Amino acid sequence: MATKIKRIGILTAGGDSPGLNAAIRGVGKAALGSYGIETVGFRDGFRGLVENRRLDLDRTALSGILTVGGTILGTSRDKPHRMEIDGKTRDMTGAIKDNLKKWGIDCVVCLGGGGTQKSALRLSKGGINVITLPKTIDNDVAMTDQTFGYATALDIATEAIDRLHSTAHSHHRIIVVEIMGHRAGWLTLGAGLAGGADVVLIPEIPYDVEKISEAIGQRSKRGSNFSIVAVAEGAMSRDDARVFDSAEKKLERAKSLNEKIEAKHAIAALEVRHQDNTLRLAHQLEGLTHLESRVTILGHVQRGGTPSAADRILATRLGTACADLIAKEQFGVMVAARGESAVPVPLDQVAGKRKSVPRDHPWIDAARRLGTCLGD
Ligand code: F6P
């Protein structure tokens, strides 16, 4: 198929995740191989677009990266409309548009999670041709079946739970394992189910510590005096969830700038307090159950290393489909996974929306039917 598109830019933004290089390779190889379109990579997210930090992604550069973790382009959490430049926060949308024109780049491919989808929508509204791919270990991007990075992180978290089982069992301990996922419970629920955790706590279901201790007590009565508690980094007790909710509602209702700043400060303070929630929970459980407890925080281990086969396939099929949409000049969309196909979804249907775990999700139902405690 003939296309007017000659050269595209590609960048990775937000937290890195396994599969990013597979996606870059998928876009670049399909763009060149099927349409003769050149690809240029921008370093460190949106900042590369502003500071003209780029590298040519020719056949050689795209070769040998499929299995490599992280992103060969580097990443950052910079936002194009609020970028720190010389100590000042500036909207760089206009500058980016001019740069792209100057460099002869017809479209920018942005690989990222929820924040990146929002930034991409702003660029699109600013008159820039953008197209995005959904990446994050959190799996919380709306309108796509799955994000790449999730499958690998799920495998890593599951293996960690497997390993923690034998040591928890040997020492008759509670092991509380904290799993990433931002404000969504996909990773914790998935790994908890796959790893057979006894308690699974996710942000979508605020917990009651007494219920957890009862469940652990029941296990002890049945002769299992150890337990694995998989807790999402965003999980909260019912009391904390109420406080958070009301702080967020205050922010939504805030009219003046002062009210907004005040509400944002209040939320930030709650977030800081939440940082040691897992340690507090382990301590509370030790007090209530009289079983010794230990905490394992998986942290960035979940994002590192080589992508799983599932993530390589997902990133490759979304990446190659992206090249086809670019050739057809279909911009302002995210390339979403839908069953076996890849479909374009307008960015305004994705940006600002989080895909949470529905309370009636089949995985929740399966966990309950196994007798897993979900803290409610
Ligand atoms: O969005 C991916 C993620 O790993 C979240 O699960 C986590 O909350 C966050 O990024 C950590 O961010 P950072 O790498 O900036 O500490």
Side-chain angles (χ1 to χ4, degrees):
M1 189 191 103
T3 174
K4 283 198 278 182
I5 306 300
K6 300 269 178 279
R7 182 184 292 149
I8 58 171
I10 188 163
L11 60 85
T12 54
D16 71 324
S17 80
L20 276 170
N21 293 325
I24 294 169
R25 173 179 174 268
V27 176
K29 283 200 169 187
L32 191 63
S34 306
Y35 307 102
I37 300 172
E38 274 177 45
T39 304
V40 170
F42 286 95
R43 296 191 191 276
D44 301 332
F46 293 101
R47 188 161 288 268
L49 284 180
V50 173
E51 296 179 356
N52 192 15
R53 287 201 265 128
R54 53 187 169 143
L55 72 157
D56 286 338
L57 293 177
D58 55 14
R59 277 186 210 284
T60 312
L62 292 170
S63 170
I65 63 171
L66 173 65
T67 60
V68 179
T71 159
I72 58 160
L73 296 176
T75 185
S76 73
R77 294 200 186 270
D78 286 312
K79 295 180 174 64
H81 64 287
R82 244 180 18 219
M83 201 174 280
E84 285 286 307
I85 306 277
D86 300 331
K88 290 211 174 93
T89 306
R90 298 174 200 263
D91 182 350
M92 301 307 288
T93 309
I96 291 173
K97 194 172 172 183
D98 293 345
N99 286 345
L100 292 171
K101 196 164 173 210
K102 195 163 67 198
W103 304 326
I105 290 173
D106 301 308
C107 150
V108 182
V109 186
C110 307
L111 278 53
T116 305
Q117 308 301 328
K118 279 202 239 175
S119 295
L121 176 62
R122 281 178 190 269
L123 292 183
S124 170
K125 284 185 174 162
I128 296 170
N129 292 334
V130 291
I131 185 161
T132 69
L133 293 183
K135 111 16 265 201
T136 164
I137 64 162
D138 305 336
N139 198 33
D140 60 352
V141 175
M143 306 297 284
T144 181
D145 290 353
Q146 200 163 310
T147 55
F148 54 85
Y150 173 66
T152 309
L154 181 60
D155 287 347
I156 296 170
T158 302
E159 193 198 333
I161 293 180
D162 290 349
R163 289 179 184 275
L164 291 170
H165 254 111
S166 60
T167 174
H169 176 261
S170 305
H171 283 266
H172 321 300
R173 282 174 175 158
I174 298 171
I175 294 197
V176 183
V177 51
E178 183 185 289
I179 296 173
M180 274 188 174
H182 196 45
R183 298 233 187 143
W186 295 106
L187 259 185
T188 305
L189 179 60
L193 209 53
D198 308 296
V199 179
V200 173
L201 305 175
I202 61 173
E204 293 84 349
I205 305 179
Y207 62 79
D208 177 346
V209 74
E210 300 278 346
K211 300 266 181 196
I212 306 169
S213 118
E214 269 167 37
I216 293 174
Q218 291 295 331
R219 279 179 52 76
S220 293
K221 275 195 200 135
R222 291 196 300 267
S224 300
N225 50 2
F226 74 96
S227 283
I228 300 289
V229 179
V231 55
E233 61 177 349
M236 280 182 203
S237 68
R238 284 180 184 162
D239 289 346
D240 286 353
R242 263 194 294 272
V243 178
F244 248 97
D245 259 16
S246 85
E248 280 184 335
K249 286 206 177 98
K250 242 186 201 163
L251 178 61
E252 273 167 32
R253 284 195 305 263
K255 294 218 164 60
S256 69
L257 185 63
N258 264 355
E259 279 176 335
K260 273 192 187 140
I261 292 173
E262 213 172 279
K264 279 189 180 166
H265 280 321
I267 292 174
L270 291 172
E271 278 167 352
V272 168
R273 183 180 177 274
H274 189 72
Q275 278 168 5
D276 51 11
N277 187 57
T278 302
L279 295 173
R280 263 200 309 277
L281 173 66
H283 189 69
Q284 283 174 310
L285 289 177
E286 197 167 77
L288 288 167
T289 62
H290 308 294
L291 284 173
E292 203 178 18
S293 76
R294 291 287 186 271
V295 169
T296 300
I297 295 179
L298 298 185
H300 293 78
V301 165
Q302 292 159 105
R303 278 190 357 210
T306 190
S308 67
D311 269 337
R312 292 179 204 181
I313 293 170
L314 179 62
T316 301
R317 73 185 178 88
L318 295 185
T320 50
C322 179
D324 297 336
L325 292 167
I326 292 169
K328 285 191 247 168
E329 296 179 56
Q330 202 162 346
F331 303 125
V333 295
M334 177 184 83
V335 189
R338 202 63 62 72
E340 282 307 307
S341 46
V343 296
V345 179
L347 280 173
D348 57 8
Q349 291 180 26
V350 181
K353 304 193 169 85
R354 181 170 46 238
K355 187 179 77 178
S356 301
V357 179
R359 275 175 169 256
D360 59 353
H361 193 274
W363 293 3
I364 301 245
D365 181 51
R368 289 196 194 283
R369 293 178 60 196
L370 293 173
T372 309
C373 169
L374 295 173
D376 57 346

